[in-house]
Amino acid sequence: MSGAGAPAMSVDGSGLNVVVIAASWHTQVMDGLLEGARRALRESGARWSEVRVPGSFELPVAAARLTGLSGRPVPEAGDTAARLPDAVVALGVVIRGGTPHFDYVCSAATTGLADVSVRTGIPVGFGLLTCDDEAQALDRAGLPGSREDKGQEAVQAAVATAVALR
């Protein structure tokens, strides 16, 4: 299991502004990832907002826009000037099918998210599940009976990195 050896993290994210970007495909898995992310954000004390995009392929462009890499970031409701987030968390799931589509989407999303993080200096928590089948995705979604909670782990990594870079 990929979670073996993961560090136990509890980080004080008070004062941090985090944006969670979540894909919409595979509703049950995404619901679990989002709930794990929300729980970790509540525990950290960070402020957060959520943005939904159609699929995992769209995660990098949303991250780029929200971090100011590709134009002005989208302001929160009531803001007169958009504030860059201290961290971004990208959540999505791609399940292998019978065509190379899986490889293209996984590669583009992974490379795009890493590029946003490196070019902006803003941590991007990587909560993109790349699974061979739905059972693997459900086992990592943080749902009752799941062995892992990748939504929680992605938040913890992003918040811990943002705190370390302060």
Side-chain angles (χ1 to χ4, degrees):
M1 180 58 56
S2 61
M9 283 196 260
S10 178
V11 179
D12 182 0
S14 298
L16 293 182
N17 179 36
V18 178
V19 177
V20 176
I21 306 167
S24 299
W25 279 78
H26 305 288
T27 304
Q28 183 180 13
V29 173
M30 289 307 305
D31 287 349
L33 290 173
L34 271 167
E35 187 49 43
R38 291 172 184 142
R39 186 174 48 257
L41 284 160
R42 282 190 299 271
E43 291 171 2
S44 79
R47 287 185 22 232
W48 80 91
S49 58
E50 296 176 14
V51 174
R52 296 301 294 260
V53 295
S56 296
F57 188 80
E58 291 77 27
L59 292 170
V61 71
R65 177 68 182 271
L66 292 165
T67 59
L69 185 59
S70 65
R72 182 180 162 90
V74 178
E76 292 182 26
D79 276 353
T80 54
R83 177 179 169 214
L84 292 178
D86 298 297
V88 170
V89 176
L91 303 175
V93 60
V94 185
I95 298 175
R96 188 178 301 279
T99 70
H101 179 77
F102 172 88
D103 298 313
Y104 299 130
V105 172
C106 293
S107 179
T110 301
T111 301
L113 291 170
D115 184 58
V116 167
S117 186
V118 170
R119 291 181 61 198
T120 64
I122 296 173
V124 176
F126 189 75
L128 175 63
L129 303 182
T130 56
C131 301
D132 288 325
D133 54 45
E134 187 175 10
Q136 286 180 347
L138 291 168
D139 204 31
R140 290 162 176 77
L143 297 163
S146 295
R147 295 187 345 179
E148 295 182 86
D149 188 341
K150 294 300 185 183
Q152 177 185 19
E153 290 177 22
V155 165
Q156 290 172 333
V159 169
T161 304
V163 168
L165 295 177
R166 270 189 182 164

